[in-house]
Amino acid sequence: MPHLQETLDISSYAALGDSFTEGLNDPGVDGAFAGWADRLAGLLAAGRPQNRFRYANLAVRGRLLDQIAAEQVPQVERLQPDLVTFCAGGNDILRPGSDPDEVAVRFEAAVARLAANAGTVLICTGFDTREMTLLKHLRGKVATYNGHMRAVADRYDCKVADLWSLRSVQDRQAWSEDRLHLSPEGHQRVALLAARSLGLRTEQDPEAPWPAAPVLSPADQARENIQWAREHLIPWVGRRLRGESSGDHVEAKRPDLLPL
């Protein structure tokens, strides 16, 4: 059975962020999305007496860093959890003309507040986007932002889940049909990485080989790309042009620390 090292005792956990931490596109048993943070909570709770582990997930899809700092960070001051995971800034980096140096300054301000109100803070670096159709041109900006986040983690003694170095998520099977959000198994790989970053021993390996996937012919690949553009790319671009967010009118799925 997995267990934490004796130096890290976690009985309450609050997850902050955007769609990545909310859990798109990992369907949960109750109709809400699950995702890597829910899966991490399950690993942390394993082996504890019933109702001795509490979990909150404040993440909302589409949220920018300043929105997370204004809406979610103050809740941590109220909740005072043993652990906070803070994955934010990705939606800012996606925006044309964004400056990763400037985003990192605001990121550090939020981390400083979190570090004062949580026992442990874990941050996630950005993914390596070299294989991501929509985002490969942002690879340099993501790498720059990652460098800043690692420096912030050092200054505030944060744990780091290094998604950039997680080779398994370079596989197409780690991503859902929209190519922007993880698949259920992709979320599981991130949960395992986060757990190990906290010192949790896990039986499963986040870098375990993927099962063999069918190889698409060029014609089938072209049809898949056309379908993806119609169902996911065009609506995404439309929302950007209209100034809309996928998180408009969406509330946190688990706003309070409750037994898992």
Side-chain angles (χ1 to χ4, degrees):
M1 179 176 294
H3 59 281
L4 284 174
Q5 295 176 346
E6 293 181 358
T7 55
L8 192 60
D9 183 21
I10 296 173
S11 60
S12 58
Y13 164 34
L16 279 61
D18 50 33
S19 60
F20 169 61
T21 301
E22 184 186 346
L24 277 66
N25 288 319
D26 182 14
V29 295
D30 57 357
F33 290 113
W36 71 270
D38 286 21
R39 292 168 179 266
L40 174 61
L43 291 169
L44 294 170
R48 288 184 175 274
Q50 189 174 11
N51 296 331
R52 292 294 300 274
F53 181 86
R54 297 175 300 143
Y55 168 56
N57 190 315
L58 308 173
V60 177
R61 68 197 76 172
R63 288 299 192 262
L64 298 169
L65 177 56
D66 285 347
Q67 293 173 310
I68 295 170
E71 299 168 5
Q72 300 176 29
V73 170
Q75 298 304 309
V76 172
E77 297 172 5
R78 173 179 64 88
L79 298 171
Q80 298 281 310
D82 295 330
L83 169 68
V84 167
T85 56
F86 183 55
C87 305
N91 287 327
D92 297 71
I93 298 297
L94 283 175
R95 297 205 159 195
S98 62
D99 180 355
D101 299 330
E102 185 275 330
V103 177
V105 171
R106 294 185 281 119
F107 178 86
E108 180 166 4
V111 169
R113 294 176 64 186
L114 294 172
N117 291 282
T120 299
V121 178
L122 180 142
I123 67 173
C124 298
T125 69
F127 293 102
D128 186 346
T129 63
R130 62 184 173 183
E131 302 296 336
M132 301 175 71
T133 304
L134 274 180
L135 307 179
K136 62 176 61 178
H137 66 288
L138 297 174
R139 192 180 187 216
K141 289 174 67 173
V142 175
T144 299
Y145 189 50
N146 283 351
H148 283 300
M149 286 195 290
R150 282 196 164 277
V152 170
D154 287 342
R155 285 194 285 272
Y156 293 90
D157 196 25
C158 301
K159 304 292 185 180
V160 178
D162 188 4
L163 301 179
W164 180 279
S165 298
L166 186 60
R167 295 185 301 274
S168 63
V169 296
Q170 296 299 320
D171 192 286
R172 180 67 183 84
Q173 296 176 78
W175 298 89
S176 63
E177 291 183 356
D178 69 6
R179 305 184 186 179
L180 280 173
H181 298 99
L182 293 168
S183 66
E185 181 59 27
H187 278 287
Q188 178 67 9
R189 301 299 180 104
V190 172
L192 292 169
L193 174 70
R196 291 190 173 194
S197 300
L198 292 168
L200 186 69
R201 299 179 182 91
T202 64
E203 294 180 3
Q204 293 177 290
D205 183 357
E207 295 284 22
W210 290 91
V215 178
L216 297 179
S217 68
D220 287 339
Q221 182 67 62
R223 282 192 291 271
E224 185 181 86
N225 287 340
I226 292 171
Q227 182 178 0
W228 165 75
R230 181 186 303 117
E231 295 182 2
H232 301 289
L233 177 60
I234 293 174
W236 181 78
V237 172
R239 287 195 300 273
R240 296 293 298 275
L241 293 175
R242 294 190 298 271
E244 298 175 355
S245 169
S246 59
D248 290 345
H249 313 299
V250 176
E251 298 181 354
K253 64 181 182 181
R254 196 178 175 94
D256 292 303
L257 288 173
L258 297 173
L260 194 64

PDB file of all heavy atoms in Angstrom, residues 175-194:
ATOM      1  N   TRP A 175      -3.539  12.342 -24.211  1.00  0.00           N
ATOM      2  CA  TRP A 175      -4.360  13.515 -24.470  1.00  0.00           C
ATOM      3  C   TRP A 175      -5.737  13.118 -24.984  1.00  0.00           C
ATOM      4  O   TRP A 175      -5.899  12.124 -25.677  1.00  0.00           O
ATOM      5  CB  TRP A 175      -3.655  14.443 -25.466  1.00  0.00           C
ATOM      6  CG  TRP A 175      -2.362  14.919 -24.887  1.00  0.00           C
ATOM      7  CD1 TRP A 175      -1.143  14.317 -24.994  1.00  0.00           C
ATOM      8  CD2 TRP A 175      -2.184  16.039 -24.025  1.00  0.00           C
ATOM      9  NE1 TRP A 175      -0.201  15.006 -24.259  1.00  0.00           N
ATOM     10  CE2 TRP A 175      -0.815  16.071 -23.664  1.00  0.00           C
ATOM     11  CE3 TRP A 175      -3.034  17.029 -23.538  1.00  0.00           C
ATOM     12  CZ2 TRP A 175      -0.290  17.048 -22.822  1.00  0.00           C
ATOM     13  CZ3 TRP A 175      -2.511  18.005 -22.697  1.00  0.00           C
ATOM     14  CH2 TRP A 175      -1.158  18.006 -22.354  1.00  0.00           C
ATOM     15  N   SER A 176      -6.720  13.924 -24.630  1.00  0.00           N
ATOM     16  CA  SER A 176      -8.098  13.672 -25.049  1.00  0.00           C
ATOM     17  C   SER A 176      -8.294  14.132 -26.488  1.00  0.00           C
ATOM     18  O   SER A 176      -7.369  14.641 -27.136  1.00  0.00           O
ATOM     19  CB  SER A 176      -9.078  14.389 -24.123  1.00  0.00           C
ATOM     20  OG  SER A 176      -8.895  15.791 -24.191  1.00  0.00           O
ATOM     21  N   GLU A 177      -9.495  13.990 -26.988  1.00  0.00           N
ATOM     22  CA  GLU A 177      -9.776  14.300 -28.388  1.00  0.00           C
ATOM     23  C   GLU A 177      -9.560  15.762 -28.727  1.00  0.00           C
ATOM     24  O   GLU A 177      -9.278  16.095 -29.880  1.00  0.00           O
ATOM     25  CB  GLU A 177     -11.216  13.895 -28.738  1.00  0.00           C
ATOM     26  CG  GLU A 177     -11.447  12.392 -28.754  1.00  0.00           C
ATOM     27  CD  GLU A 177     -12.857  12.035 -29.172  1.00  0.00           C
ATOM     28  OE1 GLU A 177     -13.669  12.967 -29.379  1.00  0.00           O
ATOM     29  OE2 GLU A 177     -13.150  10.831 -29.305  1.00  0.00           O
ATOM     30  N   ASP A 178      -9.666  16.669 -27.735  1.00  0.00           N
ATOM     31  CA  ASP A 178      -9.492  18.085 -28.060  1.00  0.00           C
ATOM     32  C   ASP A 178      -8.025  18.491 -28.175  1.00  0.00           C
ATOM     33  O   ASP A 178      -7.711  19.612 -28.568  1.00  0.00           O
ATOM     34  CB  ASP A 178     -10.224  18.981 -27.058  1.00  0.00           C
ATOM     35  CG  ASP A 178      -9.607  18.966 -25.661  1.00  0.00           C
ATOM     36  OD1 ASP A 178      -8.535  18.359 -25.454  1.00  0.00           O
ATOM     37  OD2 ASP A 178     -10.220  19.570 -24.762  1.00  0.00           O
ATOM     38  N   ARG A 179      -7.095  17.592 -27.809  1.00  0.00           N
ATOM     39  CA  ARG A 179      -5.655  17.800 -27.922  1.00  0.00           C
ATOM     40  C   ARG A 179      -5.139  18.935 -27.041  1.00  0.00           C
ATOM     41  O   ARG A 179      -3.989  19.346 -27.168  1.00  0.00           O
ATOM     42  CB  ARG A 179      -5.240  18.051 -29.387  1.00  0.00           C
ATOM     43  CG  ARG A 179      -5.690  16.960 -30.341  1.00  0.00           C
ATOM     44  CD  ARG A 179      -5.186  17.179 -31.751  1.00  0.00           C
ATOM     45  NE  ARG A 179      -5.749  16.203 -32.674  1.00  0.00           N
ATOM     46  CZ  ARG A 179      -5.493  16.177 -33.980  1.00  0.00           C
ATOM     47  NH1 ARG A 179      -4.686  17.085 -34.516  1.00  0.00           N
ATOM     48  NH2 ARG A 179      -6.050  15.264 -34.752  1.00  0.00           N
ATOM     49  N   LEU A 180      -5.966  19.432 -26.149  1.00  0.00           N
ATOM     50  CA  LEU A 180      -5.571  20.485 -25.219  1.00  0.00           C
ATOM     51  C   LEU A 180      -5.616  20.022 -23.769  1.00  0.00           C
ATOM     52  O   LEU A 180      -4.956  20.600 -22.915  1.00  0.00           O
ATOM     53  CB  LEU A 180      -6.487  21.709 -25.371  1.00  0.00           C
ATOM     54  CG  LEU A 180      -6.197  22.659 -26.524  1.00  0.00           C
ATOM     55  CD1 LEU A 180      -7.301  23.707 -26.625  1.00  0.00           C
ATOM     56  CD2 LEU A 180      -4.843  23.328 -26.360  1.00  0.00           C
ATOM     57  N   HIS A 181      -6.433  19.002 -23.497  1.00  0.00           N
ATOM     58  CA  HIS A 181      -6.600  18.504 -22.141  1.00  0.00           C
ATOM     59  C   HIS A 181      -6.226  17.025 -22.088  1.00  0.00           C
ATOM     60  O   HIS A 181      -6.367  16.303 -23.073  1.00  0.00           O
ATOM     61  CB  HIS A 181      -8.040  18.709 -21.663  1.00  0.00           C
ATOM     62  CG  HIS A 181      -8.445  20.146 -21.611  1.00  0.00           C
ATOM     63  ND1 HIS A 181      -9.177  20.744 -22.611  1.00  0.00           N
ATOM     64  CD2 HIS A 181      -8.210  21.104 -20.691  1.00  0.00           C
ATOM     65  CE1 HIS A 181      -9.376  22.026 -22.306  1.00  0.00           C
ATOM     66  NE2 HIS A 181      -8.800  22.264 -21.144  1.00  0.00           N
ATOM     67  N   LEU A 182      -5.811  16.593 -20.918  1.00  0.00           N
ATOM     68  CA  LEU A 182      -5.356  15.220 -20.752  1.00  0.00           C
ATOM     69  C   LEU A 182      -6.495  14.222 -20.867  1.00  0.00           C
ATOM     70  O   LEU A 182      -7.651  14.531 -20.567  1.00  0.00           O
ATOM     71  CB  LEU A 182      -4.692  15.058 -19.388  1.00  0.00           C
ATOM     72  CG  LEU A 182      -3.384  15.813 -19.170  1.00  0.00           C
ATOM     73  CD1 LEU A 182      -3.004  15.784 -17.692  1.00  0.00           C
ATOM     74  CD2 LEU A 182      -2.263  15.225 -20.016  1.00  0.00           C
ATOM     75  N   SER A 183      -6.162  13.006 -21.272  1.00  0.00           N
ATOM     76  CA  SER A 183      -7.079  11.881 -21.205  1.00  0.00           C
ATOM     77  C   SER A 183      -7.111  11.366 -19.775  1.00  0.00           C
ATOM     78  O   SER A 183      -6.282  11.758 -18.936  1.00  0.00           O
ATOM     79  CB  SER A 183      -6.594  10.765 -22.139  1.00  0.00           C
ATOM     80  OG  SER A 183      -5.348  10.237 -21.658  1.00  0.00           O
ATOM     81  N   PRO A 184      -8.055  10.492 -19.431  1.00  0.00           N
ATOM     82  CA  PRO A 184      -8.043   9.920 -18.076  1.00  0.00           C
ATOM     83  C   PRO A 184      -6.701   9.299 -17.696  1.00  0.00           C
ATOM     84  O   PRO A 184      -6.198   9.523 -16.585  1.00  0.00           O
ATOM     85  CB  PRO A 184      -9.169   8.877 -18.136  1.00  0.00           C
ATOM     86  CG  PRO A 184     -10.140   9.467 -19.115  1.00  0.00           C
ATOM     87  CD  PRO A 184      -9.284  10.098 -20.168  1.00  0.00           C
ATOM     88  N   GLU A 185      -6.099   8.548 -18.603  1.00  0.00           N
ATOM     89  CA  GLU A 185      -4.808   7.937 -18.285  1.00  0.00           C
ATOM     90  C   GLU A 185      -3.710   8.993 -18.193  1.00  0.00           C
ATOM     91  O   GLU A 185      -2.769   8.866 -17.396  1.00  0.00           O
ATOM     92  CB  GLU A 185      -4.443   6.881 -19.329  1.00  0.00           C
ATOM     93  CG  GLU A 185      -3.128   6.166 -19.081  1.00  0.00           C
ATOM     94  CD  GLU A 185      -3.051   5.431 -17.743  1.00  0.00           C
ATOM     95  OE1 GLU A 185      -4.119   5.026 -17.216  1.00  0.00           O
ATOM     96  OE2 GLU A 185      -1.936   5.276 -17.209  1.00  0.00           O
ATOM     97  N   GLY A 186      -3.822  10.076 -18.990  1.00  0.00           N
ATOM     98  CA  GLY A 186      -2.870  11.174 -18.857  1.00  0.00           C
ATOM     99  C   GLY A 186      -2.962  11.824 -17.488  1.00  0.00           C
ATOM    100  O   GLY A 186      -1.944  12.145 -16.861  1.00  0.00           O
ATOM    101  N   HIS A 187      -4.192  12.024 -17.003  1.00  0.00           N
ATOM    102  CA  HIS A 187      -4.376  12.556 -15.653  1.00  0.00           C
ATOM    103  C   HIS A 187      -3.763  11.622 -14.607  1.00  0.00           C
ATOM    104  O   HIS A 187      -3.176  12.082 -13.616  1.00  0.00           O
ATOM    105  CB  HIS A 187      -5.868  12.751 -15.363  1.00  0.00           C
ATOM    106  CG  HIS A 187      -6.437  14.019 -15.908  1.00  0.00           C
ATOM    107  ND1 HIS A 187      -6.165  15.252 -15.349  1.00  0.00           N
ATOM    108  CD2 HIS A 187      -7.260  14.254 -16.958  1.00  0.00           C
ATOM    109  CE1 HIS A 187      -6.812  16.197 -16.032  1.00  0.00           C
ATOM    110  NE2 HIS A 187      -7.474  15.618 -17.010  1.00  0.00           N
ATOM    111  N   GLN A 188      -3.901  10.321 -14.808  1.00  0.00           N
ATOM    112  CA  GLN A 188      -3.322   9.365 -13.864  1.00  0.00           C
ATOM    113  C   GLN A 188      -1.798   9.480 -13.832  1.00  0.00           C
ATOM    114  O   GLN A 188      -1.188   9.426 -12.749  1.00  0.00           O
ATOM    115  CB  GLN A 188      -3.739   7.939 -14.234  1.00  0.00           C
ATOM    116  CG  GLN A 188      -3.166   6.855 -13.352  1.00  0.00           C
ATOM    117  CD  GLN A 188      -3.691   6.875 -11.918  1.00  0.00           C
ATOM    118  OE1 GLN A 188      -4.625   7.620 -11.604  1.00  0.00           O
ATOM    119  NE2 GLN A 188      -3.120   6.067 -11.052  1.00  0.00           N
ATOM    120  N   ARG A 189      -1.183   9.661 -14.999  1.00  0.00           N
ATOM    121  CA  ARG A 189       0.277   9.809 -15.033  1.00  0.00           C
ATOM    122  C   ARG A 189       0.719  11.053 -14.259  1.00  0.00           C
ATOM    123  O   ARG A 189       1.714  11.028 -13.539  1.00  0.00           O
ATOM    124  CB  ARG A 189       0.762   9.895 -16.485  1.00  0.00           C
ATOM    125  CG  ARG A 189       0.422   8.701 -17.384  1.00  0.00           C
ATOM    126  CD  ARG A 189       1.037   7.404 -16.882  1.00  0.00           C
ATOM    127  NE  ARG A 189       0.704   6.275 -17.734  1.00  0.00           N
ATOM    128  CZ  ARG A 189       1.546   5.710 -18.600  1.00  0.00           C
ATOM    129  NH1 ARG A 189       2.781   6.184 -18.721  1.00  0.00           N
ATOM    130  NH2 ARG A 189       1.164   4.682 -19.322  1.00  0.00           N
ATOM    131  N   VAL A 190      -0.020  12.156 -14.410  1.00  0.00           N
ATOM    132  CA  VAL A 190       0.331  13.380 -13.693  1.00  0.00           C
ATOM    133  C   VAL A 190       0.123  13.195 -12.191  1.00  0.00           C
ATOM    134  O   VAL A 190       0.933  13.649 -11.374  1.00  0.00           O
ATOM    135  CB  VAL A 190      -0.487  14.573 -14.214  1.00  0.00           C
ATOM    136  CG1 VAL A 190      -0.286  15.804 -13.344  1.00  0.00           C
ATOM    137  CG2 VAL A 190      -0.100  14.881 -15.657  1.00  0.00           C
ATOM    138  N   ALA A 191      -0.961  12.520 -11.789  1.00  0.00           N
ATOM    139  CA  ALA A 191      -1.198  12.262 -10.372  1.00  0.00           C
ATOM    140  C   ALA A 191      -0.053  11.456  -9.763  1.00  0.00           C
ATOM    141  O   ALA A 191       0.403  11.746  -8.641  1.00  0.00           O
ATOM    142  CB  ALA A 191      -2.523  11.520 -10.187  1.00  0.00           C
ATOM    143  N   LEU A 192       0.422  10.465 -10.480  1.00  0.00           N
ATOM    144  CA  LEU A 192       1.531   9.656  -9.986  1.00  0.00           C
ATOM    145  C   LEU A 192       2.798  10.486  -9.869  1.00  0.00           C
ATOM    146  O   LEU A 192       3.553  10.364  -8.892  1.00  0.00           O
ATOM    147  CB  LEU A 192       1.763   8.466 -10.918  1.00  0.00           C
ATOM    148  CG  LEU A 192       0.661   7.404 -10.945  1.00  0.00           C
ATOM    149  CD1 LEU A 192       0.884   6.437 -12.096  1.00  0.00           C
ATOM    150  CD2 LEU A 192       0.605   6.651  -9.616  1.00  0.00           C
ATOM    151  N   LEU A 193       3.054  11.345 -10.857  1.00  0.00           N
ATOM    152  CA  LEU A 193       4.221  12.222 -10.786  1.00  0.00           C
ATOM    153  C   LEU A 193       4.124  13.157  -9.586  1.00  0.00           C
ATOM    154  O   LEU A 193       5.099  13.341  -8.845  1.00  0.00           O
ATOM    155  CB  LEU A 193       4.334  13.044 -12.072  1.00  0.00           C
ATOM    156  CG  LEU A 193       5.430  14.116 -12.072  1.00  0.00           C
ATOM    157  CD1 LEU A 193       6.806  13.473 -12.100  1.00  0.00           C
ATOM    158  CD2 LEU A 193       5.260  15.078 -13.247  1.00  0.00           C
ATOM    159  N   ALA A 194       2.956  13.767  -9.376  1.00  0.00           N
ATOM    160  CA  ALA A 194       2.773  14.673  -8.241  1.00  0.00           C
ATOM    161  C   ALA A 194       2.967  13.941  -6.923  1.00  0.00           C
ATOM    162  O   ALA A 194       3.607  14.457  -5.996  1.00  0.00           O
ATOM    163  CB  ALA A 194       1.384  15.312  -8.306  1.00  0.00           C
TER     164      ALA A 194
END
